[in-house]
Amino acid sequence: MPPTNMSNEEVPPPLPEKKRRIAVLTSGGDAPGMNGAVRAVVRMAIAKGCEAFFVHEGYEGLVNGGDMIKQADWEDVRGFLPEGGTLIGSARCMSFRERWGRLSAAKNMVLNGIDALIVCGGDGSLTGADLFRKEWPGLLEELVGKGELTTEQITPFKSLNIVGLVGSIDNDMSATDATIGCYSSLHRICGCVDSINDTAQSHQRAFIVEVMGRHCGWLALMSAISTGADFLFIPESPPSRDWRIDMSTIITKHRKMGKRTTLVIIAEGAIDQDLKKVTPGEIKDLLSNELKLDTRVTTLGHIQRGGAPCAYDRLLSTLQGAEAVNAVLEAKEGTPSPVISVIENKIVRQPLMEAVRLTQLVPAAIEHKDFARAMELRDAEFSEYFNAYRITGAAELPELLLPENKRMRIGIIHVGAPAGGMNAASRAAIAYCFSRGHTPVALYNGFSGLIRHHSDKPQGSVRDISWLEADSWVSKGGSEIGTNRTLPSENMAEVSLAFERYNIQALFCIGGFEAFHAVSELRKARKEFPPVSIPIVVLPATVSNNVPGTEYSLGSDTCLNALIEYCDTCRQSASASRRRVFVIETQGGESGYVAVIAGISVGALAVYTPEEGINIKMLDSDIDALRETFKRDRGQNRAGKIILRNEKASSVYTTQVIADILSVEGKTREGKVQFEARVGIPGHFQQGKEPSPMDRVRAVRFAVRSLQHLESFAGWSREEIANDPTTVSVIGIRGAKVQFSAMETVENEETDWKHRRPKAEYWRGLTGLGDILAGRPRRTAPDDQEIGILPI
Ligand code: ADP
């Protein structure tokens, strides 16, 4: 029924030129991280001199108007970042599917003076948004025609700006590598499956775990990779017609190799090649009756939707929310609506309808049994992950075996401090070797192990390793083969002898800045010590994320998750006492990455980094800002405030000194406490316990790529190897690409050796954004004059 109570009402006067009234709504299924997006939109809009509006309950609020559309203030989104679900509500709204619903929505937009809409939802929500924009001029004309609005009233609202943000736990949208919410959901699944694995191990059981995903197998695929599942069912790539035989063969093989558990992951929408639904029940019957395994089924259900957003979702939603506001302000009439997406590590804008069109082609391709096309239509990462899963699953894939003369003995070594994902990368490398016919050789205890290889127990430091031994490493933190900071230069002659003695023909080196340094030393030693003239790849793995040649190191995501958990807990502990600020010291060496990204993810009031240093003016303005915050806080936000200080940000202003200064400054002359300060030093807690799912899956992907790179040099002579700079490389993410960079170039041109970090750190550009969204006063002249000093 069309609403009948429309009447001519006041339309607010237009804002000054280039300022907009921007509304944000969340629609469709909720997803962790949506609140971060809403917070970023609201604060970025206000920071840019615009007005922000909440639309409550998705399109329902737009259609109904009234109190469901409310102006949003800076303070209204305080505390949004760590919350799961969506605090402004979401709904499936049938009336927005009808023209009369959209007509009502258009009137409500105009009555609130709003001409820009940022929608966070799935492909349905974004389709609705785009349709709304297309119909906009017609809707306004109709409203005038019906006498609901006047021509003068609609004149300032010629066009409607729509920007899409993809919020969905399924990660089912083409044109983006990740949707807001998918990694949080993966966290939940992996946590559950890790627990299930423990009990399976005790009883030698088989478990079939069903995860969400009607048309999209992303969650199933990623959880299978993260937990080392024996078999996987996803809708985009159904198993062969003989899947019962294939599955039985693989599971029997794994059991014969000594595996005590069996894990099958099945997506909700799993089908066979004839589009017949595959159910957990029929898999259970097969495993119980034919393989005689004690088998249980677990359907995870809505647990996958809820919970606090993980670090990545907080960062992604914040960056994308801010970018959506930029997109609104830069929109030109006639340009297609954008959707904000992420490709590897780069936030980009893509045409919204094209992304929706490609997404909707996937179920169509599946329906036509064109599975190759369905895989192709997912983002590029998807097929790569799928292949990595297959290759590292110890399945019978004789076609993957290389001819004898292409097989190598590949050394695997860890260097530096432990980091989440090191074991998962080694496990994947070992499994890859078995699939291809290479021999994996574990080099225990880093270069000190190699240097001592002549000791009485040579088997202790260099050892061939079995698939089974490595299989359980997928979810383990720390370093199973041992790691330390020794560099090969401590005794290059012994290292070279060890390479020769054990016939190491390629080296896969996993670790942080020391690993990078070690590989640089090996590269330089190639002339003097010919046995080290072998292809080498270094896979960066360190909580500090300070390795040149990449924007992401394994372990850094695990660290961020541990750190935000610590910060959230500190912040909550202040809810009883209130008016408390925590000065938390982060790791990171001379790189402020961890502090800055964690700062954005928890909404820290200030972040101190070694790159920027700390000075008295900075402290002074941050203290003023704190006073202002607490003065304005009338108790609506009970949680404490967070300041993050990197361990090397200043030799004078230590974490304790800053907390002491804050405590003194937090008192009035009369001794009244305005706020108090506490120190928090999470230390090694930041290494995390289990590696995060992102570190696990990227470990597998990068390990497979690294080994493919190494094997491409099989059969090369030492001279050929020494003459080609790409034979010694760093694998890493650079912007929108994963690539190998020649060590020689990276070490000579891109490395700040003194500070042990890259010369250009990509995240430096994000410090300003963190400050803006936390309302921190600008310490230097703003690049963007419009931003200025913001309310706290
Ligand atoms: P998701 O956004 O998660 O894909 P839905 O497909 O349920 O979820 O869409 C959410 C809401 O978006 C719907 O309830 C409806 O209000 C709106 N919507 C979806 N598709 C359309 C459409 N084709 N036209 C107009 N509105 C739509």
Side-chain angles (χ1 to χ4, degrees):
M1 273 290 292
T4 51
N5 59 344
M6 290 182 173
S7 61
N8 280 342
E9 293 167 53
E10 283 282 289
V11 172
L15 292 177
E17 214 197 333
K18 290 196 189 156
K19 309 291 180 203
R20 313 287 293 261
R21 290 196 181 87
I22 304 173
V24 58
L25 66 81
T26 51
S27 169
D30 63 329
M34 280 182 160
N35 292 319
V38 171
R39 170 185 179 269
V41 167
V42 168
R43 292 203 167 170
M44 195 63 178
I46 296 173
K48 296 259 178 176
C50 300
E51 288 179 6
F53 290 79
F54 292 141
V55 178
H56 291 278
E57 316 304 336
Y59 290 119
E60 201 79 42
L62 217 51
V63 174
N64 294 344
D67 273 359
M68 295 179 88
I69 304 176
K70 270 195 225 120
Q71 188 163 354
D73 289 334
W74 190 268
E75 303 289 334
D76 291 337
V77 287
R78 204 181 272 297
F80 266 43
L81 263 174
E83 296 294 328
T86 163
L87 292 166
I88 61 171
S90 179
R92 311 240 182 234
C93 170
M94 292 320 287
S95 47
F96 197 73
R97 290 179 182 270
E98 311 286 333
R99 190 173 160 95
W100 66 261
R102 296 190 291 276
L103 192 70
S104 172
K107 181 176 176 188
N108 287 324
M109 297 264 292
V110 173
L111 289 180
N112 282 283
I114 298 166
D115 61 352
L117 182 63
I118 296 174
V119 175
C120 183
D123 60 333
S125 306
L126 300 185
T127 308
D130 198 67
L131 180 64
F132 191 40
R133 169 181 143 139
K134 280 204 196 96
E135 289 180 348
W136 182 257
L139 292 170
L140 295 194
E141 261 174 44
E142 193 176 330
L143 286 165
V144 173
K146 286 184 168 161
E148 307 237 1
L149 292 173
T150 63
T151 311
E152 293 73 53
Q153 281 177 319
I154 66 157
T155 308
F157 299 94
K158 285 251 159 54
S159 60
L160 169 68
N161 275 152
I162 295 281
V163 177
L165 294 170
V166 198
S168 152
I169 60 159
D170 292 340
N171 200 11
D172 53 355
M173 180 69 96
S174 300
T176 188
D177 286 354
T179 54
I180 294 170
C182 69
Y183 274 101
S184 299
S185 185
L186 189 58
H187 266 260
R188 236 78 323 127
I189 296 171
C190 289
C192 294
V193 177
D194 286 351
S195 309
I196 287 171
N197 257 333
D198 288 346
T199 164
Q201 184 78 21
S202 314
H203 299 278
Q204 303 200 38
R205 273 188 190 137
F207 271 90
I208 300 154
V209 179
E210 185 186 275
V211 305
M212 280 186 169
R214 256 170 298 159
H215 300 294
C216 182
W218 190 87
L219 283 173
L221 171 59
M222 295 299 162
S223 49
I225 295 175
S226 311
T227 58
D230 301 80
F231 209 77
L232 164 73
F233 292 88
I234 57 171
E236 295 90 340
S237 181
S240 77
R241 288 208 161 73
D242 293 330
W243 66 263
R244 287 175 184 79
I245 299 171
D246 291 348
M247 188 173 75
S248 303
T249 312
I250 288 180
I251 291 174
T252 309
K253 180 180 172 190
H254 289 178
R255 288 276 175 165
K256 278 202 180 127
M257 283 163 126
K259 216 177 153 181
R260 287 173 62 87
T261 61
T262 298
L263 175 66
V264 176
I265 303 249
I266 172 167
E268 216 180 346
I271 43 171
D272 65 15
Q273 299 238 341
D274 300 314
L275 306 185
K276 200 174 142 279
K277 192 163 169 47
V278 177
T279 64
E282 68 186 296
I283 303 170
K284 181 181 183 228
D285 290 344
L286 185 77
L287 299 189
S288 309
N289 302 337
E290 286 177 33
L291 302 190
K292 308 289 176 221
L293 295 173
D294 178 5
T295 309
R296 309 291 155 103
V297 174
T298 302
T299 303
L300 294 180
H302 278 78
I303 202 165
Q304 298 163 81
R305 256 189 201 291
C310 66
Y312 182 75
D313 276 330
R314 296 186 193 195
L315 178 69
L316 185 71
S317 59
T318 301
L319 298 184
Q320 294 195 336
E323 178 66 3
V325 172
N326 290 335
V328 164
L329 295 177
E330 288 162 25
K332 304 228 166 26
E333 231 182 294
T335 50
S337 302
V339 62
I340 312 297
S341 53
V342 59
I343 307 295
E344 300 294 353
N345 208 25
K346 206 169 162 54
I347 305 292
V348 289
R349 298 177 199 172
Q350 315 255 25
L352 186 149
M353 272 331 278
E354 181 60 7
V356 170
R357 192 183 68 81
L358 290 175
T359 305
Q360 291 172 346
L361 288 178
V362 179
I366 294 174
E367 222 162 89
H368 289 99
K369 300 188 188 173
D370 191 350
F371 303 114
R373 176 88 180 120
M375 289 297 279
E376 217 178 84
L377 285 163
R378 294 272 175 238
D379 55 273
E381 269 190 14
F382 195 83
S383 333
E384 191 182 341
Y385 273 118
F386 188 69
N387 286 330
Y389 172 73
R390 280 180 71 234
I391 299 174
T392 56
E396 294 296 329
L397 298 166
E399 70 276 15
L400 288 178
L401 273 180
L402 290 166
E404 292 282 348
N405 63 348
K406 295 277 178 198
R407 299 181 188 178
M408 302 164 101
R409 284 176 58 80
I410 301 179
I412 299 167
I413 194 165
H414 294 179
V415 183
M422 275 181 155
N423 292 323
S426 303
R427 171 190 179 271
I430 290 162
Y432 181 87
C433 284
F434 288 122
S435 289
R436 304 287 275 166
H438 302 302
T439 305
V441 186
L443 307 176
Y444 281 80
N445 300 321
F447 282 98
S448 63
L450 268 189
I451 288 166
R452 288 197 307 269
H453 74 109
H454 275 313
S455 73
D456 298 343
K457 294 178 276 180
Q459 278 306 312
S461 58
V462 179
R463 195 142 61 80
D464 293 4
I465 198 152
S466 74
W467 179 86
L468 180 69
E469 205 176 334
D471 184 55
S472 63
W473 296 358
V474 69
S475 57
K476 286 209 166 120
S479 162
E480 289 290 316
I481 62 171
T483 184
N484 58 53
R485 296 181 191 276
T486 306
L487 291 169
S489 54
E490 199 172 298
N491 196 335
M492 190 61 84
E494 281 300 324
V495 170
S496 169
L497 271 175
F499 278 21
E500 198 163 27
R501 182 175 175 189
Y502 295 102
N503 189 21
I504 306 295
Q505 295 164 321
L507 184 68
F508 182 37
C509 181
I510 308 167
F513 200 90
E514 274 90 7
F516 176 82
H517 192 178
V519 170
S520 156
E521 287 185 354
L522 291 174
R523 189 190 72 76
K524 289 178 185 153
R526 296 202 288 195
K527 270 215 175 77
E528 200 183 338
F529 300 97
V532 304
S533 191
I534 56 175
I536 306 175
V537 169
V538 52
L539 169 56
T542 162
V543 299
S544 307
N545 198 19
N546 62 340
V547 181
T550 187
E551 294 173 8
Y552 161 84
S553 301
L554 291 183
S556 56
D557 184 61
T558 303
C559 165
L560 288 170
N561 279 294
L563 198 51
I564 64 167
E565 190 188 334
Y566 184 90
C567 292
D568 285 352
T569 310
C570 286
R571 183 178 244 164
Q572 182 186 283
S573 80
S575 63
S577 47
R578 305 236 295 275
R579 303 187 173 278
R580 185 168 283 178
V581 52
F582 287 90
V583 187
I584 292 170
E585 183 173 300
T586 73
Q587 291 188 332
E590 297 272 6
S591 167
Y593 172 84
V594 168
V596 166
I597 302 300
I600 294 175
S601 308
V602 298
L605 273 182
V607 177
Y608 300 122
T609 63
E611 286 84 354
E612 215 179 0
I614 307 177
N615 61 49
I616 198 82
K617 282 199 178 127
M618 216 182 242
L619 285 174
D620 188 39
S621 81
D622 289 336
I623 289 167
D624 281 345
L626 264 176
R627 277 202 197 101
E628 193 57 28
T629 305
F630 284 111
K631 201 159 79 194
R632 293 224 233 130
D633 185 1
R634 299 271 174 264
Q636 71 274 46
N637 178 47
R638 298 167 61 88
K641 313 283 176 230
I642 302 285
I643 287 181
L644 293 174
R645 176 192 171 277
N646 160 290
E647 58 190 354
K648 298 225 161 123
S650 162
S651 54
V652 175
Y653 298 108
T654 62
T655 308
Q656 187 63 53
V657 165
I658 294 175
D660 290 345
I661 294 175
L662 293 184
S663 287
V664 172
E665 296 293 329
K667 281 194 195 123
T668 62
R669 239 177 265 151
E670 297 74 41
K672 187 168 173 278
V673 178
Q674 290 176 307
F675 58 87
E676 54 184 19
R678 291 283 186 276
V679 162
I681 304 187
H684 284 79
F685 180 82
Q686 290 162 87
Q687 272 175 15
K689 197 162 167 281
E690 286 81 24
S692 72
M694 175 181 275
D695 281 332
R696 296 189 205 180
V697 295
R698 284 190 168 167
V700 173
R701 179 178 175 213
F702 291 167
V704 168
R705 280 239 194 161
S706 300
L707 286 238
Q708 285 168 339
H709 186 72
L710 290 173
E711 75 190 6
S712 70
F713 303 111
W716 284 36
S717 70
R718 281 178 179 159
E719 286 68 39
E720 283 172 320
I721 288 169
N723 288 334
D724 185 331
T726 65
T727 52
V728 183
S729 295
V730 189
I731 182 171
I733 296 181
R734 291 178 165 227
K737 286 200 185 109
V738 172
Q739 63 187 61
F740 290 92
S741 308
M743 189 72 198
E744 191 176 349
T745 316
V746 180
E747 65 179 57
N748 290 331
E749 294 171 19
E750 299 176 22
T751 304
D752 176 349
W753 284 97
K754 182 164 168 248
H755 296 107
R756 295 163 58 86
R757 64 189 184 213
K759 279 185 187 159
E761 292 173 299
Y762 90 95
W763 53 266
R764 294 287 301 274
L766 300 180
T767 50
L769 178 71
D771 289 348
I772 290 168
L773 297 182
R776 187 185 186 191
R778 304 293 297 232
R779 298 167 309 291
T780 48
D783 314 329
D784 181 346
Q785 292 299 331
E786 278 180 45
I787 290 169
I789 292 179
L790 300 167
I792 311 276

